[in-house]
Amino acid sequence: MSHTPASVHRISRVRQIFRTPLLDLLRGRLIDPVIAIDFQSILAACGLPLPITDLVADVIRRTRLWRSEKSDVASELVSHFAEGLHTGVSPEEILANFGDPRRAARLIRRAKLRNRSLSWHVCRFICFSFLAICLFYGLLAVYYYSGKPAPSVDYIAQLNQPILATPVKQRAWPLYRQVILDLSLTSPAQSDYNGEFSRMLDARPGSKRWPALQAWLVQHRADIDLLHRAADQPQLGFVLGPGGSADDPAIFPGQPLSRVTPMYDVAMPILNPIREFARILSADAEAACDLGDRVRFLRDMCSLFQLTNQTLQHPSLVAQLVSAGIRAITYDQLGRALSSSHVSMFTDIDLRDLAHQLIGPQVAADLFDLNDERIFFHDIIQHMYTISSLGGGHLTPQGFQLVNRMTSFPQQAVPLRTLAAVVEPASLILIASRDQILHRYDHFIDQAQSLLHQPLRQADWATWNQELNSLKQISLSTIHNYPIGNFLPSFSRTAVTAERCLGLRDGLLCAIALESYRRHHDGHYPASLDALTPSLLPSIPVDRITGGPVHYILHDNHPIIYSLGDDHIDNQGTPPIKYPYNAAQWNSHNPSLGDWILYPDPSDTPRIEN
């Protein structure tokens, strides 16, 4: 067994690989693991004067080189000084001519580093780059976690301003509140009663629940009168935010009290009672029509129209959808009255007044104003981002928490939360600034609002949805526009809701004009809708699917107003046998065979099977 001398050093396999030139490493060759004699042994055996050996040792230590490199430097310096002494130069002169040891050590180190292997230089570059990145990311994390949201606009106060400026006597909410208390519409203890109550409101003359509905309407006449009075008020009067109308445990039991003012925390519990109010008024109108009570029916219809407009005063897209639902209930109830045998109870003036209440909205933008959504998003952003004096602002930890809470993400486990805390500072680079996000969102809203002003058959919602969907898929664009993809809904469905509602309204306008024509022509309907213009209709309503005039046909001497439907085929007013509203589609891939019936209810017309 051979032994390595004490003055000889062996390096580890890792250092052996690290110090091997890259080309040799690729060829499978490694440097000799046995390194030359230690430089201190070389100095001890060189026989140079002590001042010179001390200088050489000092220089070598300052180079901070590898052990083998130090041995090479020691041999070179010993040879250099020995040659100088051999020529007769004194040790003092040699030391004086050598210069500053520190500068010499730096030059020697620089030369030796240049001669090291390519693999070492690559690893060194990687290590320094990694340290630089860690330092940069650490500073980034400090900047990120030091940022706090700085809300500057109280949107709730702005929205409450017109409400609080309205005298209490002109607000509908105090009257609606009394009706809620009387009917226990929001009490959890009355849930079973409310379920039966809800089914009873859908009763029609001749059904088994109809007598119970009639008795209930008589019993609660005072509450229905309160609904009429409330609907007559110019302002809904539901105060938002802390201390507002939602903080009323007598009306909304279990509703947590509002303690902050962001719009995303504003409760909207009034919308469910409003929906029930509309159904109560519609049921009362049904009963009035069945009894031939003209005045009562017209009063209910007027309140329904006013309730529709009041609901729009609540600042949310949900409230606008509820308003559209109430509008549909109103149109449905009026359509049943016009197509029943009780239509004769209406005078010509009644028909004219009903037509005037119907006239108004012409495009989807008249039913849906996206400014509420814009305010909602701007309020969210100011609670997510900082404000920068340069006009930017970055996402904060509170912003990520807000998104997780509002999008109902599950509670993260500790490792995931730790990982998130490490990754989140990268949002300063990857996610757009506050101003960029708001500009991008406003661009989407402006485009959507412009499309809502166009007929659905002409509006290019496909491009808008495609751009929106690109923000909801996993991509750099999604990360860059992170908050937008979480809070921007697809407004194309809103446009469909509006167009269907307006189409039914057009059918009712034609039905009222046809009834007026029949009364003045010995009970006969016209051969075409052209006979109604301009005396009874300013113009024939447009088919909202095809763009042509709506169609009209008589079936057993009863008028049918219809659109051609998505198949653009005239089926003579015959809807699909299943799901009659499937015909009310726009540019679908599989259009339903059949027409979209605008008047009367499709259930009252023969159907065809697809």
Side-chain angles (χ1 to χ4, degrees):
M1 180 182 296
S2 62
H3 298 277
T4 303
S7 59
V8 177
H9 298 270
R10 179 181 295 274
I11 63 173
S12 67
R13 179 56 60 90
V14 175
R15 289 189 176 184
Q16 190 180 1
I17 296 174
F18 186 65
R19 297 181 185 182
T20 301
L22 184 60
L23 292 178
D24 290 340
L25 194 63
L26 294 175
R27 295 190 184 102
R29 303 172 184 172
L30 297 177
I31 64 170
D32 191 344
V34 178
I35 300 302
I37 299 174
D38 186 86
F39 78 92
Q40 294 175 344
S41 301
I42 295 175
L43 294 179
C46 68
L48 295 175
L50 184 59
I52 294 179
T53 56
D54 289 342
L55 173 65
V56 173
D58 183 45
V59 170
I60 292 175
R61 280 192 295 270
R62 291 179 183 275
T63 61
R64 304 189 314 279
L65 295 172
W66 292 338
R67 192 184 302 270
S68 60
E69 293 171 330
K70 288 180 178 179
S71 299
D72 294 338
V73 172
S75 298
E76 293 171 2
L77 291 178
V78 166
S79 176
H80 170 74
F81 286 119
E83 184 178 349
L85 292 173
H86 182 70
T87 58
V89 181
S90 66
E92 292 76 12
E93 292 179 326
I94 291 177
L95 292 175
N97 293 332
F98 187 77
D100 185 7
R102 289 175 295 184
R103 183 172 180 275
R106 285 197 300 270
L107 293 175
I108 293 171
R109 175 176 173 78
R110 189 179 304 166
K112 288 296 183 181
L113 293 181
R114 282 198 298 266
N115 290 331
R116 287 184 180 178
S117 66
L118 178 61
S119 59
W120 180 88
H121 284 285
V122 171
C123 292
R124 182 172 183 253
F125 174 79
I126 293 174
C127 290
F128 274 106
S129 299
F130 178 76
L131 291 176
I133 291 173
C134 289
L135 177 62
F136 172 76
Y137 198 78
L139 295 175
L140 203 67
V142 171
Y143 180 70
Y144 169 75
Y145 283 106
S146 63
K148 303 294 181 184
S152 58
V153 181
D154 189 348
Y155 291 104
I156 298 299
Q158 292 182 2
L159 295 170
N160 279 334
Q161 186 174 0
I163 300 174
L164 298 176
T166 304
V168 176
K169 292 183 178 180
Q170 297 180 19
R171 301 181 196 175
W173 171 244
L175 299 174
Y176 287 140
R177 181 183 183 278
Q178 186 59 49
V179 176
I180 293 174
L181 287 175
D182 291 345
L183 302 182
S184 301
L185 291 180
T186 61
S187 174
Q190 301 292 330
S191 58
D192 294 338
Y193 165 73
N194 284 337
E196 179 59 31
F197 170 69
S198 179
R199 289 187 290 271
M200 182 183 65
L201 290 180
D202 294 329
R204 297 288 176 262
S207 66
K208 66 178 183 178
R209 290 190 175 91
W210 182 247
L213 176 59
Q214 288 181 306
W216 188 91
L217 293 172
V218 171
Q219 180 185 356
H220 293 87
R221 192 74 250 159
D223 291 314
I224 295 174
D225 290 338
L226 272 178
L227 291 180
H228 290 318
R229 288 174 52 198
D232 289 339
Q233 304 308 314
Q235 178 63 251
L236 177 61
F238 193 86
V239 181
L240 307 172
S245 303
D247 291 347
D248 189 344
I251 303 299
F252 306 115
Q255 178 72 35
L257 296 179
S258 303
R259 302 196 181 279
V260 290
T261 56
M263 280 196 67
Y264 56 80
D265 272 339
V266 171
M268 297 185 293
I270 188 178
L271 296 179
N272 285 329
I274 281 182
R275 250 189 300 251
E276 294 302 306
F277 296 157
R279 297 180 65 209
I280 290 172
L281 291 172
S282 177
D284 192 62
E286 185 76 29
C289 185
D290 185 55
L291 295 173
D293 190 337
R294 162 183 160 274
V295 174
R296 178 180 167 187
F297 178 87
L298 294 175
R299 186 73 176 95
D300 287 329
M301 295 306 299
C302 181
S303 294
L304 281 168
F305 280 114
Q306 292 168 334
L307 183 60
T308 298
N309 296 327
Q310 280 183 349
T311 308
L312 291 176
Q313 297 174 5
H314 200 71
S316 70
L317 181 62
V318 176
Q320 295 180 44
L321 290 169
V322 171
S323 176
I326 296 174
R327 194 180 296 272
I329 291 174
T330 306
Y331 292 167
D332 184 55
Q333 185 59 55
L334 180 56
R336 285 200 299 272
L338 293 174
S339 60
S340 71
S341 60
H342 299 285
V343 68
S344 58
M345 70 178 179
F346 302 120
T347 66
D348 289 347
I349 295 177
D350 294 337
L351 294 176
R352 182 200 64 189
D353 291 343
L354 287 170
H356 286 173
Q357 292 184 82
L358 289 169
I359 294 173
Q362 299 298 320
V363 293
D366 295 330
L367 300 181
F368 293 97
D369 183 0
L370 303 184
N371 190 54
D372 290 339
E373 284 296 294
R374 191 194 306 269
I375 293 175
F376 177 81
F377 186 78
H378 279 235
D379 186 62
I380 287 178
I381 290 299
Q382 75 170 350
H383 287 86
M384 293 176 60
Y385 277 75
T386 64
I387 294 181
S388 171
S389 59
L390 300 178
H394 65 81
L395 196 60
T396 63
Q398 293 85 348
F400 278 108
Q401 294 171 8
L402 177 60
V403 172
N404 290 340
R405 179 164 68 88
M406 295 189 65
T407 52
S408 300
F409 283 174
Q411 184 67 28
Q412 296 177 338
V414 173
L416 292 179
R417 290 199 300 269
T418 304
L419 178 61
V422 174
V423 173
E424 283 180 9
S427 64
L428 295 175
I429 300 174
L430 300 177
I431 297 179
S433 69
R434 172 178 176 151
D435 285 357
Q436 290 173 326
I437 288 294
L438 291 177
H439 177 76
R440 181 70 167 160
Y441 183 87
D442 288 341
H443 167 73
F444 271 101
I445 291 292
D446 291 341
Q447 279 193 328
Q449 194 70 45
S450 175
L451 292 172
L452 289 176
H453 278 88
Q454 304 174 29
L456 192 54
R457 62 183 178 275
Q458 298 174 358
D460 185 12
W461 282 103
T463 301
W464 191 91
N465 283 326
Q466 183 178 2
E467 190 174 359
L468 174 61
N469 290 335
S470 68
L471 300 183
K472 298 185 176 182
Q473 299 170 353
I474 300 178
S475 65
L476 288 177
S477 178
T478 305
I479 298 174
H480 189 66
N481 299 281
Y482 169 68
I484 298 179
N486 285 280
F487 295 110
L488 187 63
S490 177
F491 296 116
S492 58
R493 297 179 183 178
T494 304
V496 172
T497 299
E499 289 282 354
R500 288 181 175 177
C501 193
L502 293 172
L504 296 177
R505 187 279 311 275
D506 294 340
L508 290 175
L509 287 175
C510 290
I512 291 174
L514 286 169
E515 175 60 22
S516 298
Y517 182 95
R518 185 189 67 83
R519 292 183 177 189
H520 295 87
H521 291 81
D522 300 325
H524 297 293
Y525 289 105
S528 71
L529 295 179
D530 293 332
L532 304 178
T533 59
S535 59
L536 297 174
L537 280 178
S539 61
I540 300 175
V542 174
D543 185 325
R544 295 185 174 272
I545 291 181
T546 66
V550 295
H551 292 257
Y552 157 70
I553 192 174
L554 288 174
H555 180 75
D556 293 336
N557 201 37
H558 293 288
I560 298 176
I561 312 298
Y562 63 97
S563 159
L564 292 188
D566 193 34
D567 60 359
H568 290 218
I569 299 174
D570 191 347
N571 294 287
Q572 297 298 301
T574 307
I577 194 170
K578 292 182 179 180
Y579 312 111
Y581 279 103
N582 277 357
Q585 301 289 338
W586 282 260
N587 302 318
S588 62
H589 296 294
N590 299 302
S592 296
L593 180 63
D595 296 329
W596 174 23
I597 307 302
L598 306 180
Y599 171 85
D601 190 290
S603 60
D604 298 332
T605 60
R607 307 183 189 181
I608 61 175
E609 187 170 3
N610 287 326

